[in-house]
Amino acid sequence: MAYDHELADRVRDLLSGADGMSEKRMFGGLGFLVHGNMALAAASGGGLLVRVEPDDGERLLGGDVQPMVMRGREMRGWLRVGPAAVRTPEQLGEWVERGVSYARALPAKA
């Protein structure tokens, strides 16, 4: 299943004009990067993949927020945020800010 283009547009609107932002198609989704570091993605299958401080991941779980699993392995520092958790502008804004803030704290990639 392809990523949710409407959700990607909503993310794009939130990030318009932000310094160092770029987009990249990957894994059937659309990634949003900050200075080359992945911050979040409109995920194939719907919802978002959000990069978070690895030590904060567990406390953010619950409801429509689950660990990201790739090839049967949980990816520490990444969360799968389901569509119900990004329905409102406020919900989406919180998750976008969380992912972008973490990616901005990382060293820029060339």
Side-chain angles (χ1 to χ4, degrees), residues 21-32:
M21 296 302 306
S22 61
E23 297 177 17
K24 186 175 183 178
R25 290 182 189 262
M26 52 181 58
F27 310 114
L30 181 65
F32 294 89

Side-chain angles (χ1 to χ4, degrees), residues 5 8 15-17 26 28 38 43 46 51 55 62 65 79 85-86 89 95 108:
H5 291 269
L15 297 175
S16 68
M26 52 181 58
M38 182 84 131
R51 192 169 190 180
D55 292 337
V65 179
L79 300 175
V86 293
W95 286 109

Side-chain angles (χ1 to χ4, degrees), residues 37-39 51-54 77 97-106:
N37 292 300
M38 182 84 131
R51 192 169 190 180
V52 297
E53 173 66 47
E97 177 60 29
R98 191 171 275 128
V100 169
S101 292
Y102 183 70
R104 259 193 216 296
L106 300 171

Side-chain angles (χ1 to χ4, degrees), residues 9 29 46 62 65 76 93:
D9 287 342
V65 179
R76 190 167 185 269

Side-chain angles (χ1 to χ4, degrees), residues 11-21 104:
V11 171
R12 193 176 288 118
D13 287 346
L14 288 172
L15 297 175
S16 68
D19 182 48
M21 296 302 306
R104 259 193 216 296

Side-chain angles (χ1 to χ4, degrees), residues 7 9-11 14-15 20-21 24 31 34 36 40 44 49 56-57 75-76 81-82 85 92 96 98 102 106 110:
L7 179 58
D9 287 342
R10 291 174 59 209
V11 171
L14 288 172
L15 297 175
M21 296 302 306
K24 186 175 183 178
V34 179
L40 59 136
S44 63
L49 302 177
D56 291 344
M75 304 299 292
R76 190 167 185 269
V81 180
L92 179 61
V96 168
R98 191 171 275 128
Y102 183 70
L106 300 171

